[in-house]
Amino acid sequence: MHNLKSIVQRLEARKYRITPARLAVVTAVLERSGHFSVDDIVGRVPGVGRATVFRTMKLLSEMGMLCRVLLEDGSLSYRVSRHQGHHHHLVCVSCASVQELDACIASDMLGDLARSTGFQIEGHWLEFFGRCAACRNSVA
Ligand SMILES: [Zn+2]
Ligand SMILES: [Zn+2]
Ligand SMILES: [Zn+2]
């Protein structure tokens, strides 16, 4: 997991200035469990503009510390990432919990798709929706 110190160190290593506003956003993000939107964070960092919150969250996403999750209703949310690289999510439609898959499970398919279409695939987004084990058990 990420903590404030390690994130600040990584931002500094990339020559980003650690402004009070950025620090407030990173702190607010780390305090959240589960997923959250840009506006959730805006509401928790009084005095920091929405654009700064958005840019900081975008930066953290690009550095692999946050990941973006597409929810079943089509809205985009963020969560603190447990995996550095590209990965996929299992999103529970009942309790809204999100599990991260360790690795990309589509890589074989991508090779086939590229060969059959001649398309150079540069990215993809794949999320899974359903009911988590805890929710399945509580129904049964
Ligand atoms: Zn993730
Ligand atoms: Zn669930
Ligand atoms: Zn993938």
Side-chain angles (χ1 to χ4, degrees):
M1 283 302 285
H2 306 289
N3 60 47
L4 188 59
K5 197 166 165 237
S6 72
I7 291 182
V8 167
Q9 281 170 352
R10 290 180 56 187
L11 287 169
E12 284 173 337
R14 294 186 183 211
K15 310 278 181 244
Y16 288 107
R17 283 196 311 125
I18 311 301
T19 61
R22 267 195 183 133
L23 205 56
V25 173
V26 173
T27 304
V29 158
L30 288 175
E31 280 168 358
R32 302 310 306 268
S33 57
H35 47 78
F36 45 83
S37 66
V38 172
D39 289 320
D40 288 335
I41 301 301
V42 169
R44 282 164 179 268
V45 286
V48 180
R50 192 178 193 283
T52 300
V53 173
F54 178 76
R55 280 198 305 268
T56 304
M57 287 173 68
K58 186 163 182 275
L59 178 63
L60 294 174
S61 306
E62 286 163 4
M63 292 171 70
M65 293 167 202
L66 289 182
C67 47
R68 294 179 300 175
V69 184
L70 189 64
L71 301 181
E72 196 198 21
D73 65 3
S75 66
L76 192 59
S77 70
Y78 292 78
R79 73 195 305 273
V80 177
S81 179
R82 292 189 171 78
H83 295 285
Q84 242 4 271
H86 164 84
H87 60 271
H88 301 276
H89 302 104
L90 300 173
V91 182
C92 179
V93 297
S94 178
C95 70
S97 69
V98 178
Q99 279 172 257
E100 298 195 342
L101 299 175
D102 292 342
C104 182
I105 48 159
S107 43
D108 290 349
M109 189 189 79
L110 295 176
D112 293 343
L113 199 57
R115 271 189 296 279
S116 66
T117 61
F119 194 90
Q120 182 186 330
I121 297 169
E122 294 175 352
H124 63 272
W125 200 334
L126 180 63
E127 311 284 43
F128 299 88
F129 301 105
R131 245 161 258 278
C132 71
C135 288
R136 289 183 63 194
N137 289 336
S138 69
V139 171

